[in-house]
Amino acid sequence: QKEGFRYFMEKETYEQSAVVSDILTGRIGKGGIRLDELPADWLKRFSSITLCACGTSYHAALTGAYLLERLAKVPTRVEIASEFRYREPILDPTGLFAVISQSGETADTLEALKLASAQGLETLALCNVDNSSIVRAASHTVLLRAGIEKGVASTKAFTAQVMALWLLAIYWGQARSELSEETLARELDALRRVRVAVKVQPRVHDRLHRLSKRYLHGHGFFFIGRDIFYPLALEGALKLKEISYLHAEGYPAGEMKHGPIALADAELFTVALMPRSCLHEKIKSNVEELSARDATIVAITTEYFELADDIIQIRAYDHPMLEFFEMMVVLQLLALEIAVRLGNDVDMPRNLAKSVTVE
Ligand code: F6R
């Protein structure tokens, strides 16, 4: 069943290109995006959206907020389900409440959804499992089309979640007439190229395999990024934590100087997400500050960067989402290779279950 791969997580990482093709099937037309599950008139009624989720799905939600505000111009709020439930939240009665879940069974996410429904809000589930509790409880659903995910550490479901949110942002932007023709064309062109960006390149996987032996010690990792690369940094850190059991933290790069930089020394490994197409000079100067304090820098970037101790080179793209997806694969495989070297069972990490049905 693993089809020659060592772990389901590895197989699922390699499957992402096919998943992206499935997600786009029938959804890109001449006039833009089609999301037949969601009538445009229905969507146009809402003045805001709240995205609520846990774990990796929460990181997808954070990414979605950048996309929804940028493309659909819809005010977007993101909530961790376990916090949301108990803080007596005030919901926008004219807003849409959306949950994101691979399994459709996460207890906190399900309860958050019920809470919003009970307050009379319309609800949307972005979910990978049809007929799951979350799908049954939501008024509308977009199925993620990632296929069955077996690895406890989520990979292809995250891709599917981010893709679904991106499609939603474009579709909603179209419905609200917020997208210029150029922007729409640029987004559609980028969507069509994701399949290539998420395809694992043997050169990169081999490089990560060789590089991983240098990062098995030390007292921790920081993953840093800006804009959509900030939630991706959170996700990279979570992947590493889950399967390697090493301490890793994701941080918005611009926040490092407000405290965490105090930790910087040669044994602090900083994985810097340095896309070319998005705030490049800003992240560069954040990394320079860390390098000046002797942090060991692993740069994921498109070009030579003199301050990096190691560079993982990705291809240059003219759209941040393409750099996002290519970096995402690097982070998934980096976590995998480190965990394998440490002798861990990547598909069955200690203390974790695939679906968290208790709060
Ligand atoms: C991380 C991971 C978890 C889940 C979280 C939510 O790799 O898999 O953090 O993302 O438990 O699960 P779902 O998406 O099923 O609601």
Side-chain angles (χ1 to χ4, degrees), residues 54-57 101-103 106 152-154 161 238-239 242 356:
C54 302
T56 287
S57 304
S101 175
Q102 189 288 125
S103 63
T106 301
V152 167
S154 182
Q161 290 165 342
L238 181 63
K239 288 288 89 91
E242 287 185 289
V356 184

Side-chain angles (χ1 to χ4, degrees), residues 158-189:
F158 177 71
T159 292
Q161 290 165 342
V162 174
M163 285 295 289
L165 287 160
W166 188 9
L167 289 172
L168 176 65
I170 300 171
Y171 181 64
W172 205 345
Q174 285 167 196
R176 288 164 56 98
S177 309
E178 290 288 358
L179 287 180
S180 68
E181 254 175 58
E182 284 128 275
T183 307
L184 180 60
R186 180 176 134 85
E187 297 305 305
L188 298 183
D189 174 61

Side-chain angles (χ1 to χ4, degrees), residues 25-42:
T25 301
R27 284 177 168 161
I28 304 187
K30 278 205 195 81
I33 295 301
R34 288 182 52 181
L35 263 186
D36 295 341
E37 300 91 323
L38 307 179
D41 285 341
W42 176 77

